[in-house]
Amino acid sequence: MYEPYGEGKKFNINIEGLKEKIRNLKNLKFNKTIAIIIAVIAIAAVGGITGFVSFTGKVTEFTSKITVLERQMDACQNNMTSCFSTLDTTRSSLETSQAENQKCNTNLESSKADNEKCNTEKTSLSQNLTEMEGTIGEWKSKYDTLTSNYEDLQSKHSTMEQNYATKICCTGGSTYYFLKDGIKVVCCLKQDVNYCSETPESADMIKKLTC
């Protein structure tokens, strides 16, 4: 026999169970969603912390590198300043050396001109000296000839003087004489100014005769 109530009751029970299952399913889905969200948040938090730590490490590393680079730049700047100072000093020294070199070159050119002038004068003086030496040689030769002639004349004059004094004084018994005023023969008995017919200026003028 068909019993609607029993069917309805059975239907109601199934409905309730189904509702319960749906409720459980919703609760499970909700719980899963919450769990997923929490997990995502946790993962994000952990990832954020890890990323932050990594970022902080990178920042520290870069800060350290920047500090090192800044120190290196400061050192380079100091070296550049020193180099520029040395460059300025070297440039100043170079300019001074160039000025001195220019002065030396000017003096050198002046000295060359003076040297050329001196060489020209030296050549001219050498020629004059050669000519003068030739002239001196000629005059020396003439002088030697004149000296020889003079000595010959002196000898002849002395011989003539002796011969003339011998003729005058030896004949009168006098063996000494002297020349008065270079031309007059004065006889003497002795080489004494007191034994002459005329007084000579000194006894040194009295000469001995070979009678």
Side-chain angles (χ1 to χ4, degrees):
M1 181 175 181
Y2 178 73
E3 292 181 357
Y5 175 78
E7 293 179 355
K9 185 178 179 180
K10 183 178 181 180
F11 180 76
N12 288 333
I13 293 172
N14 290 335
I15 291 297
E16 290 298 326
L18 182 60
K19 287 181 179 181
E20 184 67 23
K21 290 181 179 179
I22 291 173
R23 188 178 297 111
N24 292 333
L25 181 63
K26 286 183 178 180
N27 291 333
L28 179 62
K29 184 176 180 180
F30 177 75
N31 292 334
K32 286 183 178 179
T33 302
I34 292 175
I36 290 170
I37 291 172
I38 291 171
V40 169
I41 292 172
I43 291 171
V46 172
I49 293 171
T50 303
F52 178 76
V53 172
S54 177
F55 174 75
T56 303
K58 292 292 184 181
V59 169
T60 302
E61 181 183 355
F62 288 147
T63 301
S64 178
K65 289 183 178 180
I66 289 172
T67 301
V68 172
L69 290 175
E70 286 177 347
R71 291 177 180 176
Q72 291 178 349
M73 287 178 64
D74 290 338
C76 290
Q77 183 67 35
N78 292 332
N79 290 335
M80 286 179 62
T81 301
S82 177
C83 288
F84 280 127
S85 178
T86 303
L87 178 61
D88 291 337
T89 302
T90 304
R91 185 174 295 164
S92 177
S93 298
L94 177 61
E95 291 176 355
T96 301
S97 298
Q98 287 177 340
E100 291 178 353
N101 183 62
Q102 182 63 35
K103 183 178 179 180
C104 289
N105 287 333
T106 302
N107 293 335
L108 178 61
E109 293 299 325
S110 177
S111 297
K112 285 182 178 179
D114 293 340
N115 185 56
E116 291 178 359
K117 182 179 179 180
C118 289
N119 286 333
T120 301
E121 293 179 355
K122 178 183 177 182
T123 301
S124 177
L125 290 173
S126 295
Q127 293 176 351
N128 293 337
L129 178 61
T130 301
E131 293 176 358
M132 291 179 66
E133 285 177 345
T135 303
I136 289 173
E138 293 177 0
W139 282 107
K140 187 176 183 305
S141 177
K142 292 180 180 179
Y143 174 79
D144 292 340
T145 300
L146 291 173
T147 300
S148 178
N149 293 336
Y150 174 78
E151 290 175 352
D152 184 58
L153 289 173
Q154 281 286 92
S155 177
K156 290 179 179 179
H157 178 270
S158 178
T159 301
M160 290 176 61
E161 179 184 316
Q162 288 280 340
N163 291 334
Y164 182 67
T166 299
K167 289 180 179 179
I168 296 175
C169 296
C170 287
T171 302
S174 297
T175 56
Y176 295 90
Y177 78 98
F178 72 92
L179 286 179
K180 184 179 181 180
D181 300 328
I183 56 172
K184 182 180 180 181
V185 175
V186 178
C187 299
C188 301
L189 296 175
K190 295 181 179 180
Q191 196 172 8
D192 189 334
V193 295
N194 296 318
Y195 287 87
C196 297
S197 57
E198 294 185 25
T199 303
E201 295 179 2
S202 67
D204 295 334
M205 296 177 62
I206 301 173
K207 299 177 182 179
K208 184 175 176 59
L209 291 171
T210 303
C211 297

